[in-house]
Amino acid sequence: MNLPKIPLGSWIETAEDWLTANFAPLFNFIKFIIGQIVGGFEMVLRGTPTLLLIAILVALTWYIAKWRMGVFALIGLLLIDNLGYWDHAMQTLALVLTAAVLSVVIGVPVGILCARKNTVQNIITPVLDFMQTMPAFVYLLPAISFFSLGVVPGVIASVIFAIPPTIRLTNLGIRQVPDELVEAADAFGSTPGQKLFKLQLPIAMPTIMAGINQTIMLSLSMVVIASMIGAQGVGADVFRAVTQTKTGVGFEAGLAIVIMAILLDRISQNVIKRKKK
């Protein structure tokens, strides 16, 4: 005897329609805010003269990640400009930075709450497992329904896909602070806020930064998927190359993404090393 199928898909679509009908003003407000953040990053990155911005980025990389990465940054960024992907690379970087900032702003407080309350951790952990194992393409469907096509649903999907490491490692970093130090802070009469900001967060910062590093890399990995729903940038070039079977164009655009990924990864990794020191 076959049991009747549970109409889970219909329930989800009904809930989606109800949310769209009743919370449209909220979604429009979120869309406006995220659009402004992306637009601000794009205005700075694309409005700055190319050679000046390359010089700034190379100097920043040299300072944080030493001279070898500085030389790599110089060669890589000049190559991106030479191949004609500079504007699109800056659009991609604006999307990644927006997703990373939102992930940190949301993820770190949630991670702190998980570290303080076991009940919250027990509730949030299965949600994070779901977010990390659900195929990323699935996130595009509700994002399109709530925010239409464009950059904003791409950022929303990137945040959902990329935020779990920040939450997990913030929680882990705070829980790994030695109990002796926490007890000493309590003995000296520290308030919960003082204990958090002057003891737990500074000690947990390398672990938190490792989570942020993973979040940045996951955000960058979403750029091609986000291009399927209208997000511009190098991901759109890769997507067009795939649909038109243009191997050379796809390799060039993919190389631009690889260069940005290496630079973002090495810079954030060296920030983590500095925090450990």
Side-chain angles (χ1 to χ4, degrees), residues 58 61-62 66-77:
V58 169
T61 305
W62 193 301
K66 306 305 178 186
W67 69 271
R68 289 185 181 86
M69 282 309 302
V71 172
F72 175 82
L74 177 62
I75 296 173
L77 294 175

Side-chain angles (χ1 to χ4, degrees), residues 20 24 35 51 60-61 69 76 146 159 173 196 200 208 222 239 272:
T20 303
L51 293 179
L60 179 65
T61 305
M69 282 309 302
F146 298 145
V159 169
L196 175 65
Q200 292 172 313
I208 295 172
M222 282 290 291
F239 182 65
I272 294 171

